[in-house]
Amino acid sequence: MTLEKEMLKPDRPDWHDVEGLTDTEAAARLRIDGYNEIPGARRRTLTVIVRDVMTEPMFILLLAAAAIYFLLGDNAEASILLSFVIVVIGSTVYQEHRTERVLEALRDMTSPRALVVRGGGQQRIPGREVVRGDMLVLVEGDRVPADAVILAQRNLQVDESLLTGESVPVGKRHWLDGDLRLQPGGEDQPYVYSGTLVVQGTAIAEVNATGPKSTIGTIGKSLQGIETEKTPLQLQTGKMVRLLAALGLLLCALLIVVYGLTRGDWLDGLLAGITLAMATLPEEFPVVLTVFLALGAWRISRRRVLTRRVPAIETLGSATVLCVDKTGTLTQNSMNVHTIVTGEALFRVPDVTDTAPLPETFHELLEFGILASEADPFDPMEKAMHALAQRYLSGTEHLHDDWELVYEYPLSAEMHAISHVWRSTHGDEYVVASKGAPESIADLCHLDAASSAQLAQQVEALSSQGLRVLGVADARYSGKEWPSIQHDFAFRLLGLIALADPLRPAVPSAIARCHAAGIRVVMMTGDYPGTAHTIAREAGLRADTLMTGSEIDGCDEAELAARIRTINIFARVVPEHKLKIVNALKADGEVVAMTGDGVNDAPALKASHIGIAMGGRGTDVAREAASLVLLDDDFTSIVEAIRLGRRIYDNLRKAMAYILAIHVPIAGMALLPVFFGWPLIFFPVHIAFLQFIIDPACSVVFEAEREETDAMLRPPRPLDEPLFGVWNLGLSLLQGTGVLIWAIALYGIVLSRGATAEDARALAFTALVIANITLIFANRSWKRTLFASLHIPNRAVWWITGGALLFLALALFEPQLRQLFRFGEADIAGLLLAVVAGIASVAWFELFKLLRGIRFS
């Protein structure tokens, strides 16, 4: 495919004139060159996961215990422990591999996308699938997916700071014969480079290097050493693990010394110490955290919200303010022209079934509205105007496909209007078409006071219906140099075009849910104040007061922070205003979630606690600045993500509380018999058995648990609230202590009545397993009672319960397993007593729920 393309006009890219590669050609090149990826951080393959598991402390302790049994000549128990080692490796590898696959899928889903032309049509594909020879369509806000040569461009400016360190964007031109391959940086080059950012203009470029062969690929190896920063929850959990591990090691050392001194058997003492180490080792904490956050991101993705940064999941439940755009988020982003006005004449656009023609009076207004728009529009408003023009002006002299666009004045913070300068096919003058905010068009037309007042009255009447209103003007120009600003043209006001963008039907109920959850919703829009107020009222926003962008400009930080506490609607705002709003809310102590889609939204998205980029209409730079990406641009998806964020955090807290609670009786029953002079209750085989209940319970049962009934009826949790607060820590320790007291008391009483150690051990272990299962059911909800939770579906809890009871029965009644576990022959009356003791040890927690006024359903 040659670089010369006569049909492409260098000043006006048009992808319609490009065929691009066929899908077959692209697939062949992908096989040859590989994926368009640079060397990055090491991904955990199955081999890496197995290697990491084999260095885990629990694995090493099991091997040490097996080695001691071999030294003692107990080959049967050693062999059983080695088989447990295999099962532990298998279950851990399965869980971690499952988590890694979820993370891999999320990485693929959140990776940048590329717009290419293949087979004559546009396709949006993953950036990693771009190949040599692909035709890229680049627009403002895109991240360039590969090194490419520019075939045609218009006003193209690219930020190459990622490669050069220079923050000032550089201008680009199209390729000419004789151009050499250059390095990034410098003006007027015909190349774009992978990883750089289009900040202005459009272009068509042919890919000439991908992956490791691209410019950024040559430095990609430096990314391999970059470690991901730990989240606040990971830091908290790491601190808890270190504390418990240190306490466990201290108790193990103490146990070995006491056992060796009092009983004179240091090898058995070492075995008892290993058992206690296995009982106290808090290995589940980091595993559970990883599983919950990974699967949480996956669950949120099923609600059409992608997680780009894991800490966002932790923060979702703390959001107190949700700042959202109106267009496309609260509304459907499916605009249609509702009314057009020129002078005193008004035309309400009828249903498409009405075949009556458009009155001649309005032809010129619609004609120049089209001339001020893109020929191949992306913006929904421009699409709506094109559709209306095709309906009424098709085949007339008012559509000018043969005119040439020669200059463009883009929208700016100072002037909310766009002007296109056209060279017509007749006459020597240039034709200028402008559209934009009515007040900006009025300013361009230099209207007198009376005309401005009349225009404002018309705009107010239209915007009060929730319509978005644009002004349209035209001018003629015969100069030799383009004016530096649009004001220098002699514009004439043609009229107004009002567009309807209906509210999404589910928005009012979603906003009501936010209010019930203590979340304030703030709407930010570039629309006219009347339009913003009407839409806000329909959506159910608290819309007593409104603030405009010009008022924000007139406030200092203190004044804005004071006013912003009572204002939920911001109209006529630009991205710079959004940043001020976010910073003011943060300064007032709010936890801010914010939506955005444009290049200039990136600073505000980054400044907010939870940046939410629009996946449908958003730019790459907005998505990269955000923590979450909203695939369907729908407000209700944000509310669902907040609900799931609260659920994930609640369930994580329950799982952590359960882990801490169950380790208390296990550690206590491994330690206390040594100090009381009793026979040991636990040996490594018992701890390994209990791990088969604990591990899946904390990482599967609680992760799959539904949210509490009041999840969206309570205020957001404080952002700095610890996972293990005094209340949660105390409750967990009380649960564990209750189980320990009942189980150890049962063991001591049975021994005191003359029973053998084997009989007492069987009853104490049975009581502990039953208490463990009861703890799982009790902690499924801290709001509902255990019996109410039975009606809530959770298949995992029944599988684990059934499996635990089955294996307990085998250990109690199967002779060889009974010998392995050092159990006496089962006594039905004794076992019933153990079951009662296990259930009773947790029953107080159910009474506690009832005393706090919790309902049964």
Side-chain angles (χ1 to χ4, degrees), residues 239-259:
K239 184 177 179 181
M240 175 67 73
V241 168
R242 289 191 296 272
L243 178 64
L244 292 177
L247 179 63
L249 287 174
L250 180 63
L251 290 175
C252 289
L254 179 62
L255 178 64
I256 293 170
V257 171
V258 171
Y259 195 101

Side-chain angles (χ1 to χ4, degrees), residues 276-450:
L276 180 60
M278 291 172 64
T280 56
L281 187 68
E283 61 160 1
E284 298 91 355
F285 285 118
V287 173
V288 165
L289 183 60
T290 302
V291 169
F292 269 62
L293 294 181
L295 292 183
W298 172 74
R299 289 188 186 280
I300 291 175
S301 74
R302 296 180 69 189
R303 299 290 181 174
R304 309 290 293 162
V305 181
L306 294 184
T307 305
R308 295 195 72 255
R309 294 180 178 85
V310 170
I313 298 176
E314 304 176 19
T315 314
L316 274 171
S318 299
T320 59
V321 175
L322 184 52
C323 299
V324 296
D325 290 323
K326 176 187 76 69
T327 304
T329 307
L330 298 180
T331 62
Q332 297 178 19
N333 203 29
S334 57
M335 290 191 171
N336 55 79
V337 178
H338 182 278
T339 303
I340 50 180
V341 178
T342 180
E344 297 290 340
L346 181 146
F347 179 75
R348 170 71 185 272
V349 178
D351 186 81
V352 290
T353 58
D354 189 327
T355 58
L358 178 71
E360 183 66 32
T361 309
F362 301 97
H363 283 199
E364 190 178 30
L365 169 61
L366 187 54
E367 171 188 1
F368 278 86
I370 295 297
L371 288 173
S373 304
E374 293 293 329
D376 184 20
F378 174 77
D379 183 84
M381 291 187 294
E382 295 187 350
K383 285 184 176 180
M385 286 190 284
H386 271 269
L388 192 67
Q390 288 299 317
R391 177 179 172 185
Y392 285 121
L393 302 183
S394 181
T396 71
E397 73 280 5
H398 295 286
L399 293 183
H400 306 286
D401 294 334
D402 55 343
W403 286 16
E404 182 184 357
L405 180 66
V406 293
Y407 203 78
E408 179 179 353
Y409 292 88
L411 191 76
S412 68
E414 297 76 25
M415 177 55 63
H416 296 177
I418 292 173
S419 294
H420 287 173
V421 183
W422 296 87
R423 180 184 290 116
S424 69
T425 54
H426 54 82
D428 296 328
E429 290 183 320
Y430 293 104
V431 177
V432 187
S434 183
K435 76 173 193 309
E439 59 268 33
S440 295
I441 295 298
D443 186 21
L444 289 178
C445 295
H446 304 290
L447 297 183
D448 57 32

